Amino acid sequence: MTLSDQKAFDSILSMAQNMLRLAAERAQSAVTPEMIEKELKKLAVLMEEDFDLIDREALVDELIRRSSRTVGENATLSSGEDHVPWLDAERKKGWTYWRRYSEYMETRIPWTALDALDVATDEVLSQLEDPRREGAWDRRGLVVGHVQSGKTGNYTGLICKAADAGYKIIIVLAGLHNNLRAQTQIRLDEGFLGFATIADADELPAVGVGLIDSDTSVRPNAATNRSDKGDFNTSVAAKMNVSPEQRPWLFVVKKNKTVLERLLHWIRNRVVNHVDPESGQKLVTNLPLLIIDDESDHGSVDTGEDVVDELGNPDLEHQPKTINRLIRSILHHFSRKAYVGYTATPFANIFIHDRGETQEHGPDLFPAAFITNLAAPSNYVGPGRVFGSASSTAHDLPLVRPLADDDFQSWMPQGHKNGYRPRWKGEDRIPDSLAEAIRCFVFACAVRKLRGQGSRHSSMLIHVTRFTSVQNVVVGQVAEYVRDLKGRYTRDIDLADLEASMRLEYETVFLPEMQRIRSALVEGETLDDFDWIDVRAVLPDVLSDIRVREINGTAKDALDYAENEGTGLKVIAIGGDKLARGLTLEGLCTSYFLRTARMYDTLMQMGRWFGYRDGYLDVCRLYTSTEMVEWFGHIADAAEELRQEFDNMVAAGATPKQFGLRVKSHSVLTVTSRAKMRNARPMQLTYSGDLLQTIVFPNRKDDIAANFRATDRFIKALGPSLDLNQQHFVPQGQRWNGRLWRDVPALSVISFLREYRTHPASFRIMSPLIADFIEEMNKDRELTRWTVALIGKDSGPDDKLRSVGGCSVNMLQRKRTTEHSDRYSIKTLISPRDQAIDLKEAEWTAALELSRKTWRNDTDRNDGRDPPSEPRGPQIRRILGEGVKDAGFPHRRDRGLLMLYLLDPTEAGEALAEADPVVAWAISFPGSTSERRVSNASYVANSVLWGGLNDWVD
């Protein structure tokens, strides 16, 4: 597509999108193909010349795709302390920067996403203070998005609105590296400034929003530029004089000691306009400040010790770490200021001490004013969809290729040192698994070319070592492999065997996998398949276009996507830390990832494969170790648990300071770096309000038999049972398979848990510890009587009935997630409805109402597009802990729910065909205000929780 063709396409797309929005509003219905056809006929008359230049079928496909997108609902915890509500329709009249950014984004994102961006940025801006408000004010908040979900676009919109509202100095803290800073500057040139900040240029050409609005009188001022060395410097500062009458100033700076010191020095010496007569502090009182902290969990958190004393009072003489100190100092020099951190991994931010403050630097960066959780659009593919979550059945999709140790260990062993030279089977070459991944990338590029996406960027990520010397060797090995493929296909040399194997790989593996991914994850778009003969025809051109690039501090690490906008860059990017955070890989199709960082936030930020893959999700693949697949699954669960807790707090009207957060820890993983957790302490653990489910089991016959015998004895001792359909309330249409016991004494459950052997690799489910917890809670007369359910699979053609304790039940099939020699691991055990077993109707209804209230329509959280039709676990447990006051139902904290299941042992391995069933269980604990705890380090709590500030629950 030529540049003029693209402009015509974008112009028609923008007009058509707006017309369809109005048509859908008039019809009060979703957009239909008939509606699209009707509006395009009108446009064809109005824009006849442009229509002659475009592919009408491609336009229709794009409109259908965009019309099918939905965006979930954001949620905000906020504090009204020293805040005056100010943002209304009248205040937004005549805004320039947002109007042109909104128009610029029309061709780039669906209107539903643009509307959502407008709502989300209004929500955040309204939590800040009106920049016209006189006197001193300070608002600090946090925006939590998803990894690779468009946070830059969100804060660009916020910056536009803040500038329209009257914020005069806007500082964006953009990563730790020059290329990340330059990348952010380019994005803000396009979305906010409207001109390319080219160093030493006589004229600054219009870009992005500047091509929409050519009025140079509204151009903001830029203190930094898009070159690698375009950060804030002394020579630029010497020429800058800022006054309140001027248009806003934008600074895009690294989180770097030298740069931030320069900026602070300039503020102190050139911007300050007032000295406080009492403290002598230099202040800027005439220029409202907004700081946007991109990746605010990285580099900005104070990792020093003793922020507060043993009584919780701030140490006013504490010396924060450098970057944290400088950010706080800049804020402290302004009497009117706002700070907004953006992150997808808030694990470090929640450990900032909420009371941290010093005389010299002011308060710490705890988000005391607000925390906003952004929902993901329906086309976002994140951890929840890639790896599944404990609250949903794992997708088990070929999107992820788990690698066994034998697939890479001899080539790139864990713990290798700088200077190591990787070898595969004694030769200087890549392992077979990486060669397969590169061929997958070649197939992906070929399919995209055949789909008409050949002029778009396609990237492959290889991230296997942090050492640049080792990366350099990998670059050579990868380049040699690509060179060999290219030579054979372009010169037809020794091609027969290679082509036969690639054809077999494409037809029997890659193509069927594409179809499976589409059926599970792709909605609202039709993606074509192609025969091998079509793919074969474009392979020589595809291979000729592929470039191998090294991305690290010692290499020329610019990925020149902009220079290849017309043809599309096809790149295999090999690197380490520079690829780990922030750097965008356009059109990322294939990832080969072996880096074994052990921190939640670092690992999640390395997930560059998350994001938007419209038109090519089915050709994407992630190659990583089986261990990493488990870790990412666990992190996805930890992040989801955080969000669920957050939703419950929003429903209760809590503030950020009342948000007592608990983050799962792991036997190997740490939540974030130990330094960032100085203000976190191992918890005296409570399971109140939690669901525990066994997902890791022994796979030795003797161990399986021991657990089966313990369960057999337990059930026999329970006495007569009810049919599981005889619950207090069974929703219409539900049928159950199993047995039910009520009012089981706690001692019976405790004895069972002490006898049942949990696997050592089960990092959270430790039967003896859970038994201890129940005993503790019994002291407050809680969890004293139990409902026990033995739950079987619904009847069907593959029934496998087994008896335990004299009760016959249908065994469940649960696939193993990864191959382990010592255990049988599954993703999730229970069905969503199981936690509602034996609820009273009023409890069931109240829990459903609360579930709908906290529903966010967030695809990556497996929320679904429709509000829940049955209550969800977290809300059930909360209702049981609080009661249903409107219906006169007291809480039922004395009641625990133990669910028992028999799993088909053949899923654990064919050798177990004659073994006893694998016994699995889950426990649902009602919420509680009890202070009872058991000692364990499976959770780490932030200062708010262990500081006792969550007493609001009472």
Side-chain angles (χ1 to χ4, degrees):
M1 192 182 289
T2 66
L3 193 60
S4 59
D5 290 354
Q6 187 65 56
K7 286 181 73 174
F9 187 90
D10 289 348
S11 178
I12 294 172
L13 178 62
S14 179
M15 291 282 288
Q17 192 165 248
N18 283 323
M19 290 169 70
L20 282 169
R21 177 196 296 199
L22 294 172
E25 286 174 359
R26 282 196 303 270
Q28 293 186 321
S29 73
V31 172
T32 63
E34 293 76 23
M35 208 180 283
I36 291 173
E37 193 57 38
K38 182 179 176 183
E39 299 305 319
L40 287 185
K41 279 181 180 175
K42 294 179 191 173
L43 270 179
V45 175
L46 295 170
M47 306 174 73
E48 186 177 351
E49 289 184 10
D50 283 345
F51 259 85
D52 290 340
L53 298 174
I54 67 158
D55 180 340
R56 188 186 177 105
E57 191 177 326
L59 176 66
V60 171
D61 285 348
E62 182 62 19
L63 287 168
I64 290 172
R65 184 189 351 255
R66 290 180 172 218
S67 300
S68 68
R69 301 297 180 230
T70 59
V71 182
E73 185 182 332
N74 306 322
T76 297
L77 281 175
S78 64
S79 166
E81 187 178 340
D82 191 27
H83 177 57
V84 180
W86 63 283
L87 189 62
D88 56 23
E90 184 65 30
R91 190 72 168 76
K92 293 169 67 176
K93 284 181 178 173
W95 281 9
T96 299
Y97 300 122
W98 168 252
R99 176 191 53 74
R100 61 186 200 167
Y101 181 62
S102 175
E103 195 173 326
Y104 172 70
M105 293 300 287
E106 276 180 357
T107 58
R108 286 161 174 77
I109 58 177
W111 72 77
T112 48
L114 186 56
D115 288 347
L117 178 64
D118 189 14
V119 169
T121 47
D122 266 8
E123 196 167 332
V124 176
L125 184 66
S126 69
Q127 296 296 331
L128 308 183
E129 218 53 45
D130 183 349
R132 295 178 184 174
R133 179 183 160 190
E134 295 298 327
W137 43 261
D138 183 353
R139 296 289 283 178
R140 304 190 186 201
L142 180 68
V143 177
V144 181
H146 295 264
V147 177
Q148 293 283 289
S149 66
K151 293 185 297 300
T152 307
N154 187 283
Y155 69 66
T156 302
L158 177 63
I159 287 169
C160 290
K161 289 184 175 181
D164 279 323
Y167 279 89
K168 291 295 184 181
I169 294 189
I170 298 167
I171 299 171
V172 178
L173 304 172
L176 303 180
H177 302 294
N178 282 329
N179 57 354
L180 299 187
R181 191 213 66 80
Q183 179 179 277
T184 303
Q185 179 82 56
I186 290 168
R187 294 282 299 274
L188 288 166
D189 285 1
E190 294 167 347
F192 174 52
L193 294 176
F195 56 91
T197 52
I198 301 168
D200 303 321
D202 292 331
E203 283 193 28
L204 301 177
V207 295
V209 294
L211 297 171
I212 291 169
D213 185 349
S214 58
D215 182 1
T216 56
S217 69
V218 300
R219 279 187 171 184
N221 298 295
T224 51
N225 68 60
R226 60 169 56 196
S227 73
D228 240 21
K229 296 179 179 177
D231 214 330
F232 186 78
N233 64 58
T234 313
S235 60
V236 171
K239 302 171 190 171
M240 287 172 53
N241 287 302
V242 179
S243 70
E245 297 77 29
Q246 287 178 312
R247 296 185 299 278
W249 281 83
L250 175 69
F251 301 72
V252 182
V253 300
K254 288 193 304 295
K255 297 182 197 179
N256 171 277
K257 177 176 183 287
T258 305
V259 172
L260 292 175
E261 282 177 343
R262 280 185 209 141
L263 183 55
L264 184 58
H265 182 268
W266 174 74
I267 290 167
R268 282 174 173 160
N269 292 280
R270 302 295 291 270
V271 188
V272 160
N273 69 315
H274 178 74
V275 177
D276 187 291
E278 290 185 15
S279 65
Q281 183 187 351
K282 293 181 175 182
L283 286 171
V284 181
T285 61
N286 60 345
L287 297 165
L289 166 73
L290 170 63
I291 290 183
I292 301 288
D293 188 353
D294 195 9
E295 310 288 5
S296 60
D297 60 309
H298 195 43
S300 307
V301 177
D302 181 17
T303 57
E305 296 187 53
D306 302 324
V307 173
V308 298
D309 62 23
E310 61 276 5
L311 299 176
N313 299 313
D315 175 6
L316 298 179
E317 303 301 318
H318 168 71
Q319 284 300 309
K321 295 298 181 180
T322 304
I323 302 300
N324 175 270
R325 168 176 59 81
L326 290 166
I327 295 170
R328 287 163 62 182
S329 294
I330 290 168
L331 284 161
H332 203 43
H333 277 78
F334 286 77
S335 63
R336 298 184 290 162
K337 67 257 192 171
Y339 167 92
V340 184
Y342 274 78
T343 183
T345 48
F347 302 110
N349 300 82
I350 63 170
F351 292 126
I352 297 171
H353 203 292
D354 63 295
R355 298 178 194 149
E357 184 171 359
T358 70
Q359 198 86 47
E360 185 181 350
H361 317 104
D364 206 344
L365 303 178
F366 181 82
F370 68 94
I371 304 173
T372 293
N373 230 333
L374 298 177
S378 57
N379 59 328
Y380 172 73
V381 180
R385 300 183 81 188
V386 173
F387 298 104
S389 69
S391 60
S392 69
T393 305
H395 295 303
D396 190 26
L397 290 174
L399 206 62
V400 181
R401 295 278 186 81
L403 299 173
D405 287 352
D406 292 347
D407 293 327
F408 63 87
Q409 269 284 20
S410 63
W411 176 69
M412 196 66 64
Q414 286 188 13
H416 64 268
K417 305 296 183 188
N418 197 7
Y420 168 74
R421 295 193 65 80
R423 291 287 182 273
W424 179 249
K425 297 182 178 176
E427 298 177 29
D428 183 14
R429 65 184 178 96
I430 57 175
D432 298 342
S433 59
L434 179 51
E436 180 192 319
I438 291 171
R439 292 193 300 273
C440 272
F441 179 58
V442 173
F443 293 149
C445 291
V447 170
R448 294 196 72 194
K449 187 179 181 75
L450 291 165
R451 285 178 180 168
Q453 302 169 10
S455 61
R456 299 185 193 172
H457 305 303
S458 292
S459 304
M460 177 177 181
L461 159 69
I462 299 176
H463 194 292
V464 295
T465 176
R466 66 187 180 89
F467 299 114
T468 56
S469 65
V470 187
Q471 290 164 25
N472 189 253
V473 178
V474 174
V475 167
Q477 293 179 347
V478 170
E480 178 58 35
Y481 183 73
V482 173
R483 214 166 17 245
D484 181 60
L485 287 179
K486 189 183 303 183
R488 295 199 199 193
Y489 271 98
T490 54
R491 294 195 291 274
D492 201 11
I493 299 171
D494 295 332
L495 187 56
D497 289 347
L498 172 65
E499 183 164 338
S501 66
M502 284 184 70
R503 176 174 185 165
L504 184 67
E505 189 172 38
Y506 177 79
E507 291 180 339
T508 63
V509 181
F510 193 80
L511 185 59
E513 288 178 346
M514 285 169 56
Q515 294 160 350
R516 280 182 59 202
I517 292 167
R518 283 204 302 271
S519 65
L521 293 180
V522 175
E523 293 179 15
E525 55 183 347
T526 303
L527 303 180
D528 294 328
D529 287 335
F530 300 94
D531 293 331
W532 170 254
I533 192 169
D534 301 314
V535 172
R536 170 65 182 86
V538 299
L539 280 184
D541 288 347
V542 164
L543 285 161
S544 294
D545 287 341
I546 291 175
R547 303 286 179 265
V548 179
R549 295 282 172 82
E550 186 174 357
I551 311 296
N552 58 47
T554 62
K556 181 187 179 299
D557 51 15
L559 289 171
D560 44 358
Y561 292 116
E563 288 83 347
N564 292 272
E565 198 63 50
T567 57
L569 188 65
K570 313 296 183 288
V571 63
I572 298 176
I574 301 163
D577 292 341
K578 294 257 179 119
L579 287 180
R581 269 184 181 265
L583 190 67
T584 298
L585 292 169
E586 301 283 354
L588 181 61
C589 299
T590 314
S591 301
Y592 190 91
F593 182 87
L594 300 180
R595 176 78 179 273
T596 52
R598 299 188 173 209
M599 295 179 289
Y600 285 15
D601 45 10
T602 306
L603 273 174
M604 197 61 95
Q605 287 291 354
M606 287 177 177
R608 316 317 296 166
W609 48 84
F610 303 131
Y612 303 101
R613 301 289 182 267
D614 288 348
Y616 65 101
L617 175 63
D618 56 341
V619 301
C620 295
R621 302 291 184 274
L622 162 63
Y623 288 75
T624 191
S625 68
T626 54
E627 185 176 43
M628 293 290 281
V629 171
E630 284 194 341
W631 286 2
F632 270 107
H634 174 56
I635 295 164
D637 289 347
E640 176 54 23
E641 185 174 280
L642 203 91
R643 288 176 184 271
Q644 285 184 356
E645 185 70 17
F646 185 89
D647 289 341
N648 280 334
M649 300 290 277
V650 170
T655 68
K657 283 199 174 186
Q658 294 166 330
F659 186 16
L661 290 163
R662 299 179 304 170
V663 183
K664 284 186 211 173
S665 68
H666 188 287
S667 54
V668 180
L669 286 162
T670 54
V671 176
T672 180
S673 73
R674 295 194 182 281
K676 291 178 187 172
M677 289 168 55
R678 298 286 190 195
N679 297 311
R681 301 175 186 172
M683 279 189 69
Q684 292 292 306
L685 182 63
T686 175
Y687 291 113
S688 293
D690 278 357
L691 169 71
L692 305 180
Q693 52 181 327
T694 49
I695 56 172
V696 183
F697 310 95
N699 58 3
R700 291 175 61 250
K701 277 189 178 180
D702 290 351
D703 293 329
I704 292 171
N707 280 342
F708 183 78
R709 287 194 299 270
T711 310
D712 189 68
R713 285 191 290 273
F714 172 57
I715 290 176
K716 281 178 178 172
L718 293 179
S721 63
L722 298 170
D723 186 281
L724 197 47
N725 290 291
Q726 293 179 264
Q727 298 172 43
H728 289 306
F729 172 68
V730 176
Q732 190 171 1
Q734 278 194 16
R735 289 292 301 164
W736 293 82
N737 180 299
R739 310 302 299 174
L740 179 72
W741 295 262
R742 292 194 187 110
D743 297 322
V744 174
L747 186 58
S748 298
V749 174
I750 291 166
S751 299
F752 166 68
L753 290 172
R754 294 209 185 283
E755 196 172 353
Y756 183 98
R757 300 177 194 169
T758 44
H759 194 279
S762 180
F763 54 84
R764 194 181 177 213
I765 311 299
M766 292 159 276
S767 282
L769 192 68
I770 298 164
D772 290 346
F773 175 70
I774 296 170
E775 281 186 338
E776 273 299 304
M777 296 299 281
N778 284 177
K779 294 174 183 176
D780 285 341
R781 298 184 193 173
E782 296 193 13
L783 302 178
T784 53
R785 59 192 190 91
W786 285 71
T787 300
V788 177
L790 176 64
I791 306 165
K793 187 173 79 69
D794 292 341
S795 294
D798 56 347
D799 282 1
K800 289 188 177 181
L801 292 169
R802 294 295 292 269
S803 287
V804 60
C807 299
S808 179
V809 71
N810 209 353
M811 287 194 296
L812 273 59
Q813 273 81 44
R814 290 288 185 266
K815 287 185 178 179
R816 64 192 308 167
T817 52
T818 48
E819 294 290 331
H820 288 290
S821 59
D822 68 327
R823 60 191 184 271
Y824 162 44
S825 300
I826 63 174
K827 181 63 184 177
T828 190
L829 171 64
I830 72 168
S831 296
R833 68 176 186 171
D834 291 359
Q835 291 181 75
I837 284 175
D838 218 33
L839 290 183
K840 309 281 177 62
E841 185 173 1
E843 294 168 330
W844 192 94
T845 303
L848 175 59
E849 187 180 330
L850 184 58
S851 299
R852 287 176 172 165
K853 189 176 179 182
T854 54
W855 171 72
R856 302 287 172 228
N857 188 21
D858 190 329
T859 311
D860 196 53
R861 298 178 64 185
N862 299 289
D863 260 1
R865 292 200 171 188
D866 300 312
S869 58
E870 57 186 25
R872 295 179 170 182
Q875 288 71 38
I876 291 170
R877 300 191 295 273
R878 183 173 158 193
I879 289 297
L880 286 171
E882 295 178 357
V884 187
K885 297 178 178 62
D886 294 344
F889 273 71
H891 67 74
R892 288 213 277 163
R893 296 175 198 156
D894 60 337
R895 181 255 201 192
L897 173 64
L898 171 64
M899 296 159 274
L900 299 169
Y901 306 81
L902 300 184
L903 307 186
D904 184 351
T906 58
E907 297 286 353
E910 289 301 323
L912 297 173
E914 302 302 317
D916 288 318
V918 176
V919 175
W921 54 259
I923 294 179
S924 177
F925 289 104
S928 174
T929 56
S930 171
E931 295 299 317
R932 299 282 178 185
R933 302 287 188 268
V934 285
S935 179
N936 185 39
S938 286
Y939 271 89
V940 180
N942 77 341
S943 61
V944 173
L945 187 61
W946 56 252
L949 291 176
N950 61 333
D951 294 338
W952 64 276
V953 177
D954 294 333

